[in-house]
Amino acid sequence: MFAQGGVIAALLIPAHVLVQGILGPLGIVPVVDRHYDTWISILGNPIVKLYLLVLIAFPFFHFAHRLRYLLVDLGVPAAKRVPAQVIFYGGAVLVSLFTVWLLLTTAPISLG
């Protein structure tokens, strides 16, 4: 998950910000507006839910791995032990589970 998180953090997030945050407000590409009805209809799509899960969860695993090994490289001996692994990777798992819960409870899945 480290490599996938790095690729998503390096490629997909900037592309998402470019389209949704810059080109959309400029009127160059159609994007999701800030109206409640539009958001609910978009979040009801299971592909959008999967996209948002990938966009959020994988970079957190990448971040957890990078932060843990930064501490290892800085000479923190506790970063090599199991409790540190549980804290870092467990935090990424908790963020992922919270994201799944949030995506499943925010808008019902609509297939039509």
Side-chain angles (χ1 to χ4, degrees):
M1 284 210 236
F2 172 75
Q4 292 89 355
V7 168
I8 290 168
L11 298 175
L12 194 57
I13 291 175
H16 182 86
V17 169
L18 176 68
V19 171
Q20 190 71 27
I22 298 171
L23 298 178
L26 291 175
I28 298 171
V29 296
V31 293
V32 177
D33 58 13
R34 295 183 179 153
H35 298 296
Y36 177 78
D37 294 336
T38 308
W39 274 103
I40 290 300
S41 66
I42 293 298
L43 284 177
N45 187 337
I47 294 172
V48 172
K49 287 182 184 281
L50 182 63
Y51 169 75
L52 290 174
L53 176 64
V54 167
L55 190 70
I56 295 168
F58 280 99
F60 267 97
F61 280 97
H62 182 79
F63 169 73
H65 188 76
R66 282 278 173 128
L67 187 59
R68 180 173 163 256
Y69 276 96
L70 172 69
L71 293 176
V72 168
D73 290 342
L74 290 175
V76 178
K80 293 181 181 179
R81 298 195 179 98
V82 173
Q85 293 175 8
V86 169
I87 290 170
F88 287 113
Y89 300 124
V93 168
L94 286 176
V95 167
S96 299
L97 290 174
F98 179 73
T99 303
V100 168
W101 174 80
L102 192 64
L103 289 172
L104 290 177
T105 59
T106 301
I109 294 176
S110 62
L111 299 174

